Amino acid sequence: MSFNSSRYYLLKEVEQFARSIPANALVLDAGSGLQPYQHLFAHTQYESADFEKLDIPYTNTTYLCDLSNIPVEDYKYDCIIFNQVMEHLPEPGVVLKELHRVLKRGGKLFYSGPLFYEEHQQPYDFYRFTQFGLRFLFTQQGFEINRMEWVEGYFGTVGYQLDRMAFFLPGKPKELGGGFRAYLLIPFLILVKFFSGILSPIFHKLDVSYKITKQGYPKNYVLIATKPSK
Ligand SMILES: C[S@@+](CC[C@H](N)C(=O)[O-])C[C@H]1O[C@@H](n2cnc3c(N)ncnc32)[C@H](O)[C@@H]1O
């Protein structure tokens, strides 16, 4: 896979969060999937929860469960990782309430999720979240939001869109239903596809040098929330 600035920035975010978690803290990776960040929490006691309903090679999930009903006691965890999961939940508020229940007072939660991304992991793909939707959902369940930011800059969003254009734009007349006009249009679309494919990695690289967050829109938001001590 070619360089993707979202992955670059997200890894930095999770690394920074992991460094802030004390040794031996009890951590829950909620919706853990392939547990790509487990190694960053090697200094903690790491547990995971996932419903394992997708056709992917899950391994070592501690709790095989729906996130709306995690089989552990109240106030168990010092910290929760909730990465790229919330858009897959039909009732995100119900799950946030459950995560709030299992988190200790003063415990921290790391969230990231998309604002702008194609449908994936169908049929378990329900929402995209704006900063205002995130603020509403988290505070409604009693979390305090400590920090919310764009994961990547607008160049990263453009890099993603260009990559998808190179992949999805039609390149054959029959994909436009055939006919004379389709034959005229296809050379133009092939050119656009070609240049989109070339420009996409350039924008992803630019995103690392110039993280533009004052215009455009992010592909993902990252958010750190706390369960208040009282
Ligand atoms: C996009 S993946 C993210 C995986 C991982 N957190 C990561 O950062 O790579 C979403 C994960 O959420 C899990 N998931 C989706 N809906 C769920 C639900 N209702 N209960 C438990 N797990 C769920 C899926 O099985 C999948 O592993």
Side-chain angles (χ1 to χ4, degrees), residues 4-230:
N4 174 330
S5 58
S6 302
R7 284 178 201 279
Y8 166 84
Y9 279 119
L10 187 54
L11 178 61
K12 281 180 44 160
E13 288 285 354
V14 186
E15 281 172 347
Q16 186 185 329
F17 182 71
R19 277 196 301 271
S20 76
I21 304 304
N24 292 322
L26 193 50
V27 173
L28 177 67
D29 190 346
S32 49
L34 305 181
Q35 305 181 10
Y37 302 112
Q38 183 189 10
H39 62 288
L40 300 176
F41 294 86
H43 60 295
T44 71
Q45 300 175 66
Y46 171 95
E47 294 187 348
S48 56
D50 201 295
F51 71 175
E52 297 200 354
K53 287 192 180 171
L54 301 171
D55 189 17
I56 57 174
Y58 296 99
T59 44
N60 299 324
T61 304
T62 318
Y63 302 104
L64 189 58
C65 64
D66 195 283
L67 291 179
S68 59
N69 189 10
I70 306 169
V72 302
E73 67 273 20
D74 298 355
Y75 307 111
K76 176 168 179 176
Y77 295 102
D78 297 293
C79 142
I80 293 177
I81 312 159
F82 189 38
N83 192 53
Q84 302 289 319
V85 178
M86 198 157 81
E87 73 275 18
H88 299 289
L89 307 170
E91 297 184 288
V94 171
V95 170
L96 286 178
K97 186 175 182 189
E98 182 68 348
L99 296 183
H100 190 271
R101 179 185 73 77
V102 302
L103 191 59
K104 280 184 189 158
R105 289 201 174 96
K108 286 203 283 186
L109 179 148
F110 176 98
Y111 162 94
S112 90
L115 169 69
F116 179 71
Y117 197 75
E118 69 193 271
E119 282 183 9
H120 58 293
Q121 301 193 345
Q122 295 98 328
Y124 304 104
D125 192 354
F126 297 94
Y127 307 104
R128 299 292 176 268
F129 297 100
T130 67
Q131 58 178 309
F132 308 101
L134 290 172
R135 193 167 290 285
F136 173 79
L137 284 167
F138 276 89
T139 53
Q140 190 189 38
Q141 298 308 330
F143 287 100
E144 260 174 24
I145 296 179
N146 308 120
R147 181 174 160 248
M148 177 162 41
E149 285 183 26
W150 297 23
V151 169
E152 57 292 291
Y154 185 54
F155 283 154
T157 311
V158 172
Y160 165 72
Q161 178 67 303
L162 287 166
D163 175 73
R164 297 297 73 198
M165 285 164 66
F167 187 75
F168 286 123
L169 280 176
K172 293 182 185 136
K174 72 171 184 221
E175 293 173 74
L176 291 176
F180 181 65
R181 283 205 317 171
Y183 275 90
L184 285 182
L185 193 53
I186 284 300
F188 167 71
L189 290 177
I190 288 175
L191 262 184
V192 175
K193 276 168 85 73
F194 177 73
F195 283 109
S196 301
I198 289 180
L199 287 171
S200 170
I202 294 175
F203 271 89
H204 277 298
K205 289 263 165 57
L206 274 179
D207 190 33
V208 174
S209 306
Y210 304 96
K211 187 173 175 184
I212 293 178
T213 58
K214 297 278 183 265
Q215 59 209 70
Y217 43 93
K219 195 175 139 206
N220 295 277
Y221 281 108
V222 57
L223 179 159
I224 310 293
T226 306
K227 176 169 174 172
S229 303
K230 285 187 191 154

